[in-house]
C-alpha cells in the first residue's frame, strides 16, 4: 500500500499501536510528528474531507485543558480549525491517511479499515 501517512505522537500508546499495526501489515507510512510539524488549515480541511465530515470536532480532543481554557465547547467551525492549527495538542491521535481516505486510529485497530 502506497501513500500512507500517520499523524503520530510517539508518547501516545494508541499512536504507537497504530504505527505498529501498519508496519506489521507491511506498510511503511510517512510519519508526521504533528506536535513538531503542525498541520496547516488546508491539511486539516483535507483530513476532514477524507474522514467524510466537515466537523472539526471529529478530530479534536475535547478533554484537553486547552479545549476548556479556550472555551471551545461552543466554538464555531472556523474557531475550532484556528485552535487546531495554533494548538496541535488538541488534535486527536493518531490520524492515518491512505489515498483519499482517513481514520482516527482510536482504537488502533480502526487503521485496518484502510488496509482492506
Amino acid at each position: 500500500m502506497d501513500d500512507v501517512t500517520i499523524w503520530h505522537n510517539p508518547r501516545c500508546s494508541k499512536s504507537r499501536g497504530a504505527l505498529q499495526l501498519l508496519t506489521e501489515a507491511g506498510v511503511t507510512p510517512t510519519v508526521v510528528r504533528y506536535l513538531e510539524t503542525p498541520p496547516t488549515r488546508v491539511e486539516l480541511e483535507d483530513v476532514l474531507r477524507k474522514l467524510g465530515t466537515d466537523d472539526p470536532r471529529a478530530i479534536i480532543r475535547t478533554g484537553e485543558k486547552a479545549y476548556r481554557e479556550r472555551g471551545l465547547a461552543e466554538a464555531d467551525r472556523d474557531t475550532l480549525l484556528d485552535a487546531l492549527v495554533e494548538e496541535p495538542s488538541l488534535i486527536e491521535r493518531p490520524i492515518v491517511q491512505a489515498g483519499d481516505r482517513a481514520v482516527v486510529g482510536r482504537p488502533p485497530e480502526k487503521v485496518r479499515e484502510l488496509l482492506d
Side-chain angles (χ1 to χ4, degrees), residues 54-97:
D54 68 345
D55 186 358
R57 291 190 197 306
I59 61 169
I60 198 163
R61 297 174 57 83
T62 59
E64 291 293 312
K65 182 178 177 183
Y67 182 83
R68 290 185 304 280
E69 287 176 347
R70 288 174 167 256
L72 297 175
E74 302 301 321
D76 63 20
R77 184 176 189 281
D78 285 332
T79 301
L80 291 172
L81 286 169
D82 289 343
L84 290 169
V85 169
E86 295 166 10
E87 193 94 39
S89 64
L90 288 170
I91 298 171
E92 190 61 84
R93 60 194 180 252
I95 297 176
V96 180
Q97 303 171 65

Side-chain angles (χ1 to χ4, degrees), residues 30-45:
T30 300
V31 177
V32 176
R33 291 186 176 198
Y34 68 94
L35 294 175
E36 297 168 13
T37 308
T40 65
R41 186 178 176 117
V42 169
E43 290 169 321
L44 290 169
E45 294 273 12

Side-chain angles (χ1 to χ4, degrees), residues 6-10 12 15-16 19 31-35 94-95:
I6 181 171
W7 288 1
H8 180 59
N9 178 349
C12 172
S15 192
R16 290 190 311 268
L19 182 57
V31 177
V32 176
R33 291 186 176 198
Y34 68 94
L35 294 175
I95 297 176

